[in-house]
């Protein structure tokens, strides 16, 4: 009888050990899939550094799509299909040492979050990139600041936490940064009401474009 109990005990231990091993392998397999997706996304983002910015005309004078723009479309589409992993890889790209890559990462986030690049594409949810985009508002490169701000605007209401940094950007010496701050605040809408005093100041900006974008932002925040 004692032998039967012992055999049963060892049998149970064996089953438990198999279960633990299978579970560990399944978790490990999931981790490998995630790591692979991250690696794939980072490789795609690194390839963005070779693309021109800002977005040029899509076609040559003869109507043929430019090779670099065909490549841009392919990379954007691949990143879009990677979803969250693509967004995280672009977020990492915002802090790369290469300024061209930072510009292209910010531009890609703005493009993929919007619906104007290719109307057939669904918008990419880039909310997880918000902390990196807010930091990028202080980048030394004007284009990185501007496209990061516009990407924040595409997030909309959920980007409310970025309003203080966008208010600061309204005072930036660079006209493009001020324009983009207004565009971002317009996208956030009523949740950006604390920006109204500075936006009203922007109605006296030396740039007519800034004045126009500030007016549009005010109308969006305070209909």
């Amino acid at each position: 009888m004692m032998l039967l109990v012992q055999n049963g005990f060892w049998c149970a231990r064996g089953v438990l050990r198999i279960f633990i091993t299978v579970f560990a392998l399944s978790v490990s397999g999931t981790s490998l899939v995630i790591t692979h997706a991250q690696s794939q996304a980072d490789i795609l983002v690194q390839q963005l550094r070779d693309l021109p910015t800002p977005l040029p005309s899509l076609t040559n004078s003869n109507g043929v799509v430019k090779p670099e723009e065909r490549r841009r479309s392919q990379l954007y589409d691949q990143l879009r299909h990677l979803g969250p992993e693509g967004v995280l890889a672009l977020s990492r790209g915002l802090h790369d040492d290469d300024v061209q890559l930072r510009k292209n990462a910010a531009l890609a986030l703005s493009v993929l979050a919007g619906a104007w690049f290719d109307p057939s594409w669904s918008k990419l949810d880039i909310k997880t990139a918000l902390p990196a985009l807010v930091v990028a508002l202080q980048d030394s490169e004007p284009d990185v600041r501007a496209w990061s701000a516009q990407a924040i605007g595409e997030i909309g209401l959920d980007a409310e936490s970025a309003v203080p940094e966008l208010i600061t950007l309204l005072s930036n010496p660079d006209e493009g940064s001020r324009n983009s701050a207004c565009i971002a605040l317009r996208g956030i809408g009523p949740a950006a009401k604390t920006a109204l005093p500075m936006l009203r100041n922007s109605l006296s900006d030396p740039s007519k474009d800034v004045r126009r974008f500030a007016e549009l932002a005010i109308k969006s925040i305070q209909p």
Side-chain angles (χ1 to χ4, degrees):
M1 186 69 173
M2 190 66 179
L3 181 60
L4 289 174
V5 171
Q6 279 188 333
N7 287 341
F9 175 72
W10 286 110
C11 180
R13 285 189 62 182
V15 171
L16 180 60
R17 186 175 298 142
I18 293 171
F19 173 79
I20 292 172
T21 302
V22 171
F23 177 75
L25 287 172
S26 66
V27 171
S28 175
T30 302
S31 299
L32 286 172
V33 170
I34 293 173
T35 301
H36 174 71
Q38 288 174 340
S39 300
Q40 184 182 0
D42 284 323
I43 290 170
L44 291 172
V45 169
Q46 288 297 318
Q47 294 178 54
L48 293 175
R49 75 173 72 245
D50 299 323
L51 298 176
T53 55
L55 285 173
S57 172
L58 183 63
T59 59
N60 292 311
S61 56
N62 58 5
V64 176
V65 177
K66 298 175 181 177
E68 62 270 24
E69 293 314 302
R70 187 180 300 110
R71 181 59 179 152
R72 187 194 306 274
S73 182
Q74 292 170 345
L75 288 171
Y76 282 6
D77 195 31
Q78 288 174 286
L79 286 165
R80 183 174 68 91
H81 279 97
L82 284 173
E85 295 303 331
V87 174
L88 289 175
L90 287 168
S91 300
R92 290 189 285 272
L94 285 173
H95 306 307
D96 196 89
D97 290 337
D98 184 349
V99 66
Q100 186 64 13
L101 181 57
R102 298 203 305 276
K103 288 196 292 184
N104 267 306
L107 178 60
L109 284 166
S110 179
V111 167
L112 293 173
W116 52 269
F117 183 76
D118 186 332
S120 69
W121 290 358
S122 57
K123 292 184 178 182
L124 185 63
D125 183 351
I126 65 167
K127 286 195 292 288
T128 54
L130 184 58
L133 286 166
V134 169
V135 172
L137 294 178
Q138 301 177 35
D139 197 278
S140 59
E141 169 58 44
D143 284 342
V144 176
R145 297 195 301 267
W147 289 325
S148 293
Q150 292 184 41
I152 289 171
E154 295 290 354
I155 295 173
L157 176 65
D158 290 328
E160 180 180 0
S161 61
V163 171
E165 286 76 12
L166 290 169
I167 291 173
T168 300
L169 197 63
L170 286 171
S171 301
N172 194 280
D174 173 60
E175 179 182 338
S177 296
R178 300 198 304 277
N179 280 335
S180 294
C182 292
I183 292 169
L185 291 166
R186 179 188 182 190
I188 295 171
K193 60 182 179 296
T194 55
L196 285 172
M198 278 297 295
L199 283 169
R200 292 190 182 106
N201 288 342
S202 296
L203 295 175
S204 301
D205 194 277
S207 165
K208 65 178 182 180
D209 288 334
V210 174
R211 296 196 299 271
R212 179 167 60 90
F213 285 126
E215 184 178 359
L216 291 172
I218 291 169
K219 288 180 180 178
S220 175
I221 295 169
Q222 189 175 282

